[in-house]
Amino acid sequence: MRSRLTTLLSVGFIFAATGGALALGGGGVLAPAGHERASASFNQYRPPETPPVPTPPTTGPPPSTPPVPTPPVSTPPASTFIPRPASAKLSSAGSATVRCATVCHIVLRARRGSKCVHVRVRLHAQGTATVRLPKGAISRLGRGKVLVSVEVDGKVIATRTLRLR
């Protein structure tokens, strides 16, 4: 009895699966000639095809295009406007004469071994400034060779080695 019931259920499932496969596949086997798209899945899940709507002809003048703006006058890039570099002259006494084309920050630095002294000056306009280390700062360095450097806006532009006595 169980084997007959199992057989009947198996045959029922096979027919149900075959019908679903034919519906999804388009029903090419059972569809009449010329109706390839006669499956249930095609008609159920796809919108019907609509013919394109014709547009009425226009009788007016053609639409005008907006005027094209003229490009701006090309100017050279900012990198070509390089200001004149600052210049500095160091004397044998340890003073520096610095010439800047614009506002600049000047640092006169003297170093001997691990000892270092410096003087900061800000030049507020284009021009020349003379910067000197105070005698007390020079005496703190002691005797011997001293490396003196001039920095303008953080960049070393001049160095000189002096011998202090």
Side-chain angles (χ1 to χ4, degrees):
M1 184 73 179
R2 283 187 186 184
S3 64
R4 288 184 189 180
L5 182 62
T6 307
T7 305
L8 286 174
L9 287 174
S10 300
V11 170
F13 282 125
I14 288 174
F15 281 123
T18 306
L22 287 175
L24 289 174
V29 175
L30 300 176
H35 295 187
E36 289 79 23
R37 296 182 178 179
S39 70
S41 64
F42 181 81
N43 292 331
Q44 184 177 1
Y45 298 113
R46 289 180 179 82
E49 295 180 13
T50 57
V53 178
T55 58
T58 58
T59 57
S64 62
T65 58
V68 178
T70 58
V73 177
S74 62
T75 58
S79 62
T80 59
F81 297 116
I82 299 172
R84 292 179 291 171
S87 61
K89 294 181 182 178
L90 281 166
S91 70
S92 59
S95 64
T97 304
V98 181
R99 178 178 300 238
C100 292
T102 60
V103 175
C104 61
H105 298 276
I106 304 166
V107 178
L108 178 63
R109 202 178 301 269
R111 180 176 301 211
R112 181 176 170 268
S114 63
K115 298 177 181 177
C116 181
V117 294
H118 65 275
V119 174
R120 297 176 191 252
V121 176
R122 181 172 180 196
L123 192 59
H124 295 283
Q126 175 183 357
T128 305
T130 302
V131 183
R132 293 186 184 102
L133 288 169
K135 287 186 179 182
I138 293 173
S139 66
R140 276 185 266 158
L141 293 173
R143 294 183 179 187
K145 291 184 178 180
V146 175
L147 179 66
V148 180
S149 62
V150 178
E151 295 179 11
V152 175
D153 294 330
K155 184 177 179 182
V156 177
I157 61 169
T159 60
R160 185 171 183 174
T161 303
L162 301 176
R163 179 169 285 280
L164 297 179
R165 299 177 189 222

